[in-house]
């Protein structure tokens, strides 16, 4: 966890946000839902909802991706921006949405059991079959 102020947006800028406060280190998620949403494994940081301020969310749409969670994407450019567990007070943010590199590192691979086998996992990063 690192305290960071940062800015992010989707490809078209319809979703723009500021983050302020603690950001979880990045997790690479290899679950099938992230694969289908992102077209590859997903890299997410996470912040408390209080730390996330929207400057624009006119193209933000939430998709109920399972019984447990929803995913926020841009209606215009299709960017997969957010992941949120129902009733949680935190939001996961795709690490690639930030304008500058976040000062956090990738520190785990999760759901590696479900991954597709066309790529290798960085062995220097701990892996877990489900959540860590
Ligand atoms: Zn967009």
């Amino acid at each position: 966890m690192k305290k960071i102020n940062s800015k992010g947006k989707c490809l078209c800028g319809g979703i723009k946000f500021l983050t302020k406060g603690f950001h979880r280190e990045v997790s690479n998620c290899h679950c099938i839902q992230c694969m289908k949403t992102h077209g590859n494994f997903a890299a997410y940081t996470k912040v408390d909802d209080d730390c996330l301020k929207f400057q624009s969310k006119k193209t933000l749409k939430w998709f109920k991706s399972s019984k447990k969670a929803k995913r926020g994407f841009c209606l215009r450019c299709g960017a997969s921006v957010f992941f949120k567990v129902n009733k949680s007070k935190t939001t996961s943010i795709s690490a690639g949405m930030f304008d500058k590199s976040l000062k956090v590192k990738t520190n785990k691979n999760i759901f590696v059991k479900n991954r597709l086998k066309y790529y290798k996992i960085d062995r220097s990063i701990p892996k877990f079959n489900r959540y860590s």
Side-chain angles (χ1 to χ4, degrees), residues 10-15 59 74 76-79:
C10 65
L11 181 58
C12 75
I15 302 169
T59 60
C74 177
R76 190 160 55 200
C77 71

Side-chain angles (χ1 to χ4, degrees), residues 26-110:
V26 172
S27 296
N28 287 339
C29 183
H30 304 266
C31 82
I32 197 67
Q33 291 187 11
C34 278
M35 280 290 182
K36 296 294 183 196
T37 303
H38 293 266
N40 203 354
F41 64 84
Y44 281 113
T45 183
K46 185 156 74 175
V47 298
D48 288 343
D49 289 344
D50 299 344
C51 299
L52 176 62
K53 300 277 179 259
F54 285 97
Q55 293 179 300
S56 170
K57 56 178 177 181
K58 58 187 174 212
T59 60
L60 174 61
K61 176 85 178 169
W62 289 95
F63 169 68
K64 190 176 183 292
S65 53
S66 73
K67 283 180 192 164
K68 292 179 184 167
K70 60 184 181 176
R71 291 169 187 270
F73 66 98
C74 177
L75 276 174
R76 190 160 55 200
C77 71
S80 302
V81 187
F82 303 114
F83 172 82
K84 188 167 179 57
V85 173
N86 297 340
K87 293 176 186 166
S88 70
K89 292 189 167 82
T90 59
T91 299
S92 295
I93 306 170
S94 296
M97 295 299 147
F98 291 92
D99 297 346
K100 291 182 187 161
S101 263
L102 286 177
K103 293 187 178 75
V104 290
K105 299 281 187 233
T106 301
N107 75 345
K108 61 188 150 194
N109 286 294
I110 58 173

